[in-house]
Amino acid sequence: MTPNAQLSDALYTTTRNAGSDLAVTIIEGLATLEGTSPLELDVRLSKVIDPDALEELFDPSPEDVGRLVFPLNEYLVSVRSNGEVAFHRA
């Protein structure tokens, strides 16, 4: 994906709950999208992105001032600073 490419419509979108870890939101979203339990997923988020750095980068904020996109399984995950997590086709 080129840096200026637009993401297509999201296959699934969720929002981080107050007080929850962003990594948990991402894994739960992936599980929902794949129709399984988070415990059944064969994925380690830490192999793709540092969950602690992700938390620091996207400390909960009501403002939507940033976005990070990274691959996870066969999806592109878009994380926004306002807590929105969207899954797109890779």
Side-chain angles (χ1 to χ4, degrees):
M1 177 175 183
T2 60
N4 294 326
Q6 294 293 319
L7 292 173
S8 61
D9 290 336
L11 299 170
Y12 179 75
T13 303
T14 187
T15 304
R16 170 192 217 168
N17 293 324
S20 71
D21 288 339
L22 194 48
V24 171
T25 302
I26 293 167
I27 294 300
E28 287 176 347
L30 179 62
T32 298
L33 185 59
E34 298 206 343
T36 190
S37 159
L39 299 175
E40 298 292 321
L41 289 174
D42 186 23
V43 65
R44 290 190 58 105
L45 188 59
S46 61
K47 289 192 178 240
V48 178
I49 195 161
D50 182 337
D52 293 330
L54 193 60
E55 281 296 327
E56 269 190 55
L57 188 60
F58 290 105
D59 192 25
S61 169
E63 296 180 31
D64 187 15
V65 294
R67 177 177 75 173
L68 176 71
V69 179
F70 60 92
L72 183 63
N73 284 10
E74 63 264 6
Y75 306 102
L76 289 175
V77 180
S78 171
V79 179
R80 300 187 76 93
S81 57
N82 66 358
E84 179 186 278
V85 176
F87 295 81
H88 306 267
R89 291 195 196 286

